[in-house]
Amino acid sequence: MAVRIAVVKESAASEKRVSATPETVKKFIGLGAEIAVESGAGSSASIADADYEAAGAKVGTRAATVKDADIILGVQGPDPDSLKSAKKGAWIVAGMCPRNRTCPATRPCSMRRRNMAAPSR
């Protein structure tokens, strides 16, 4: 069974980066992964949803994108409350802003409640 990777849209207004481009989507698919991209994830980086679809990704809502994902990619750690449809044991690969105590992604209890893991260094 293929690994399912979700690419989420960044929520910070100042964030212009995206965790995957159509080129990286092609590479992941070439390695056998299934890719789902949240609609608008690349818009701040001037990447259209159609470009992700042309690369082979499925584009949809956040809930549909993270549903059944084994790995959730982000630039900044997503708010755990926005990942309610993610499956148990999903890995979050994103910057978790450990020095920013107000960042919702740094609340370990939020991740544990959803049985998610964020790899540490």
Side-chain angles (χ1 to χ4, degrees), residues 7-12 15-20 36-53 58-62 65:
V7 177
V8 295
K9 181 178 180 177
E10 298 302 314
S11 59
E15 184 58 76
K16 304 299 181 205
R17 299 171 294 173
V18 62
S19 59
V37 177
E38 181 178 358
S39 182
S43 61
S44 63
S46 300
I47 302 170
D49 289 345
D51 296 334
Y52 286 109
E53 290 172 330
K58 294 179 183 170
V59 176
T61 65
R62 176 163 294 202
T65 299

Side-chain angles (χ1 to χ4, degrees), residues 16-80:
K16 304 299 181 205
R17 299 171 294 173
V18 62
S19 59
T21 65
E23 185 62 32
T24 55
V25 165
K26 286 180 195 174
K27 289 179 180 179
F28 283 135
I29 290 172
L31 293 170
E34 293 178 8
I35 309 294
V37 177
E38 181 178 358
S39 182
S43 61
S44 63
S46 300
I47 302 170
D49 289 345
D51 296 334
Y52 286 109
E53 290 172 330
K58 294 179 183 170
V59 176
T61 65
R62 176 163 294 202
T65 299
V66 301
K67 186 177 190 297
D68 299 324
D70 299 297
I71 301 169
I72 300 168
L73 298 181
V75 175
Q76 296 185 32
D79 184 337

